[in-house]
Amino acid sequence: MKLPVLNNEKTESSAGGCASSGCGSSAASQEHLPQSIRDKVANHPCFSEQAHHYFARMHVAVAPACNIQCNYCNRKYDCSNESRPGVVSEVLTPPQAVKKVKAVAAAIPQMSVLGIAGPGDPLANPQRTFETFRRLTKEAPDIKLCVSTNGLNLPECVEEISQHNIDHVTVTINCVDPEIGARIYPWIFWENRRIRGVEAARILIEQQQKGLEMLIAKGILVKVNSVLIPGINDQHLIEVSRIVKEKGAFLHNVMPIIAEAEHGTYFGLTGQREPTAAELEAIQDACAGDMNMMRHCRQCRADAVGMLGEDRGEEFTLDKIESLEVDYEAAMVQRAEVQKQLLEQLNSQRQAAVVPEVKSDSRPVKMAVATKGGGIINQHFGHATEFLVYEASVRGVRFIGHRKVDKPYCEGGSSCGDDGETVLDAIIHQLQDCEVLLCSKVGYEPWSALEAAGIQPDGEHAMEVIEDAVRAVYQQLQQQGQLHTAQPRLQSA
């Protein structure tokens, strides 16, 4: 059977993923885990860094209500032009959600995971959430089920969660100190009353920690999400990471606050700044000493469909699936074969990844990569709406994160914005700590500008596996003597 295309060719922004070793959720960092746990995450694109090269996910928006208020959140409905948590184009009933899941699973056989993540809190909408899970457990037993929650109602729902095909739960924990929590959460709705301030944060934290312990006791894998808010919880997240690891969480996802004023959040309207890429990386690295880190998160919408970094939700709106008749039993047969082949590909790539021996005095190098997906270098520089950043060093290759750009070069070129900055200037600014740019092609004008900024373009590794290409370029630079520790940047040709 021919494998499906792993990215939507109509979506140039569908960036691929990260390397097969290096960051906390990679295969290399999971070797210490029992085989049973590694098997559970093998085809889960959010819990396994490797898997998101190959497997897709979808969210169904069946949970509109929320029981807490976060200063970084503003839920929006019937919204198709924003890509962030809490945003959806349509809220579904459980029967509608099940119908949509079957339609997507039949059309995208590499879709392995169904999650409920909002647009409110799934456990604040227990009837709608668990009716959806009950039906999917019966009607689509081959799909992994996930739920994301703020944790306030988690303890009372753990038993119900354990009754379904839910092996993975994400809990958002932004603090373990009520004083810090009071700056993040204006209020919670608890036991039929609204509670504010430090007391509200204390209750939320206690419920989160209790729920985490109960999930671990049930053998359910837990990923902890934390929103990095500069000046409020940035350094505190190191303590959060230490505590949730001690209690048994499997993975920690430290992600940047989204605080553009146009989104209408409290933090956005009051000028709370977002972290820089360097600040995010520093906190992730500081937490990584205590916790496996997720670095490939795309902070998905509550109705996202497809590979991480892309959204095919517009292909599966209610009006488009209403008349569909899906033979799900036949679809399951195809899905099983496709996913078996994908796992074989993934395992083959993992086994082929060998860390090279290089001189110990060679310094690390950051490289940016343009990709449309599939774990290969397959995108023109001018089409990229984000770049993946890797670090190559004597210890191997590790994925650092992704850098979004407001507009691809081919849509803006040398035109200036209101601040006088060109599109190319903005891209170079985003990649200013990178020394190499790997892409399938790059034009003369951006090539010259990138080189002048100390970023060496490289189109020689088109259609190669990202990690292999990054490693090969690093070895070449090392052989050329350009990586002595005293030398801060590469020399332009």
Side-chain angles (χ1 to χ4, degrees):
M1 178 180 296
K2 184 178 179 181
L3 292 178
V5 175
L6 294 183
N7 59 285
N8 180 8
E9 292 296 336
K10 294 182 291 185
T11 308
E12 288 289 349
S13 64
S14 57
C18 32
S20 60
S21 65
C23 84
S25 54
S26 69
S29 68
Q30 294 177 13
E31 292 301 322
H32 65 287
L33 297 171
Q35 187 62 47
S36 59
I37 291 181
R38 281 184 276 167
D39 290 343
K40 282 185 178 182
V41 302
N43 66 343
H44 195 306
C46 303
F47 277 62
S48 168
E49 172 217 337
Q50 272 191 309
H52 91 279
H53 282 312
Y54 300 91
F55 295 94
R57 58 47 178 130
M58 73 172 293
H59 296 163
V60 287
V62 299
C66 198
N67 50 4
I68 72 173
Q69 178 61 54
C70 305
N71 280 332
Y72 54 77
C73 180
N74 181 25
R75 287 171 288 145
K76 289 188 178 180
Y77 304 89
D78 193 23
C79 182
S80 60
N81 62 352
E82 291 182 20
S83 183
R84 59 184 178 85
V87 173
V88 297
S89 292
E90 51 193 3
V91 176
L92 309 179
T93 65
Q96 289 171 332
V98 172
K99 185 177 182 67
K100 181 173 180 177
V101 170
K102 289 182 174 180
V104 171
I108 308 177
Q110 66 267 39
M111 196 275 280
S112 61
V113 173
L114 179 283
I116 299 179
D121 186 80
L123 303 187
N125 302 258
Q127 291 183 331
R128 296 170 65 94
T129 295
F130 288 117
E131 180 184 346
T132 304
F133 282 144
R134 279 191 291 269
R135 293 188 57 164
L136 287 171
T137 298
K138 179 180 179 181
E139 299 180 39
D142 61 323
I143 297 177
K144 292 181 183 293
L145 304 179
C146 292
V147 64
S148 297
T149 177
N150 59 46
L152 183 60
N153 286 355
L154 180 57
E156 66 186 68
C157 295
V158 168
E159 188 61 36
E160 178 79 12
I161 289 171
S162 68
Q163 300 303 311
H164 304 292
N165 188 27
I166 306 172
D167 286 331
H168 313 79
V169 174
T170 295
V171 186
T172 298
I173 301 178
N174 295 317
C175 60
V176 290
D177 181 340
E179 295 288 343
I180 293 176
R183 301 174 65 187
I184 301 172
Y185 309 106
W187 54 261
I188 67 171
F189 192 75
W190 175 248
E191 295 183 343
N192 296 316
R193 63 192 182 99
R194 199 178 303 272
I195 302 174
R196 302 179 183 274
V198 173
E199 177 63 10
R202 182 190 63 77
I203 294 170
L204 176 61
I205 291 167
E206 288 177 355
Q207 289 292 100
Q208 290 170 338
Q209 297 300 315
K210 181 180 178 182
L212 170 59
E213 293 168 358
M214 293 173 67
L215 288 170
I216 298 303
K218 290 284 189 181
I220 297 170
L221 290 181
V222 179
K223 172 169 69 75
V224 170
N225 281 354
S226 296
V227 179
L228 171 58
I229 311 167
I232 294 181
N233 72 342
D234 39 6
Q235 297 302 315
H236 177 63
L237 289 182
I238 300 171
E239 176 70 1
V240 172
S241 192
R242 182 188 66 80
I243 288 175
V244 298
K245 180 187 179 182
E246 286 180 354
K247 294 193 175 181
F250 161 75
L251 188 63
H252 194 188
N253 174 26
V254 177
M255 53 191 175
I257 183 176
I258 299 173
E260 286 93 341
E262 58 265 30
H263 297 324
T265 67
Y266 173 83
F267 277 146
L269 296 174
T270 55
Q272 171 64 50
R273 71 175 182 86
E274 299 177 355
T276 65
E279 288 172 330
L280 176 63
E281 181 184 334
I283 296 300
Q284 289 174 331
D285 286 346
C287 293
D290 288 315
M291 189 64 163
N292 291 341
M293 297 301 299
M294 176 181 180
R295 300 179 190 252
H296 60 280
C297 176
R298 296 302 196 276
Q299 294 175 276
C300 303
R301 291 167 55 103
D303 57 3
V305 175
M307 308 290 284
L308 291 192
E310 74 173 3
D311 188 359
R312 297 176 59 180
E314 287 299 312
E315 300 176 39
F316 302 98
T317 55
L318 283 179
D319 60 316
K320 293 178 181 177
I321 67 171
E322 193 63 38
S323 60
L324 291 180
E325 292 295 332
V326 176
D327 184 348
Y328 196 73
E329 290 189 7
M332 280 200 296
V333 174
Q334 182 197 21
R335 285 164 49 73
E337 180 61 25
V338 167
Q339 295 196 21
K340 176 183 176 182
Q341 293 183 49
L342 290 174
L343 279 173
E344 290 173 352
Q345 287 185 15
L346 188 155
N347 290 330
S348 176
Q349 182 178 335
R350 178 190 298 135
Q351 292 166 6
V354 178
V355 177
E357 292 186 7
V358 296
K359 293 181 179 179
S360 60
D361 64 347
S362 296
R363 63 182 177 79
V365 173
K366 286 183 182 176
M367 305 187 197
V369 177
T371 174
K372 293 186 291 184
I376 58 178
I377 300 168
N378 58 359
Q379 190 168 46
H380 193 294
F381 168 80
H383 298 166
T385 57
E386 73 168 11
F387 295 87
L388 307 186
V389 177
Y390 294 78
E391 181 186 78
S393 71
V394 296
R395 292 176 293 181
V397 176
R398 72 183 183 116
F399 177 67
I400 297 295
H402 56 98
R403 308 280 174 83
K404 292 184 179 180
V405 296
D406 292 334
K407 184 182 295 186
Y409 172 74
C410 282
E411 290 186 13
S414 301
S415 60
C416 295
D418 295 337
D419 57 0
E421 184 181 57
T422 68
V423 171
L424 183 55
D425 290 337
I427 294 172
I428 289 174
H429 179 75
Q430 281 289 77
L431 305 180
Q432 60 185 329
D433 58 338
C434 299
E435 301 184 41
V436 177
L437 170 67
L438 299 172
C439 56
S440 61
K441 290 183 180 180
V442 59
Y444 175 78
E445 180 181 351
W447 182 295
S448 299
L450 287 161
E451 244 185 4
I455 304 170
Q456 184 60 52
D458 187 330
E460 297 299 315
H461 296 273
M463 303 310 296
E464 292 184 15
V465 174
I466 293 173
E467 187 179 55
D468 293 345
V470 171
R471 183 181 297 113
V473 171
Y474 186 77
Q475 288 179 306
Q476 181 181 20
L477 295 172
Q478 193 272 337
Q479 292 166 2
Q480 294 171 350
Q482 297 199 52
L483 300 182
H484 298 307
T485 54
Q487 183 176 312
R489 299 282 294 187
L490 303 183
Q491 298 298 317
S492 296

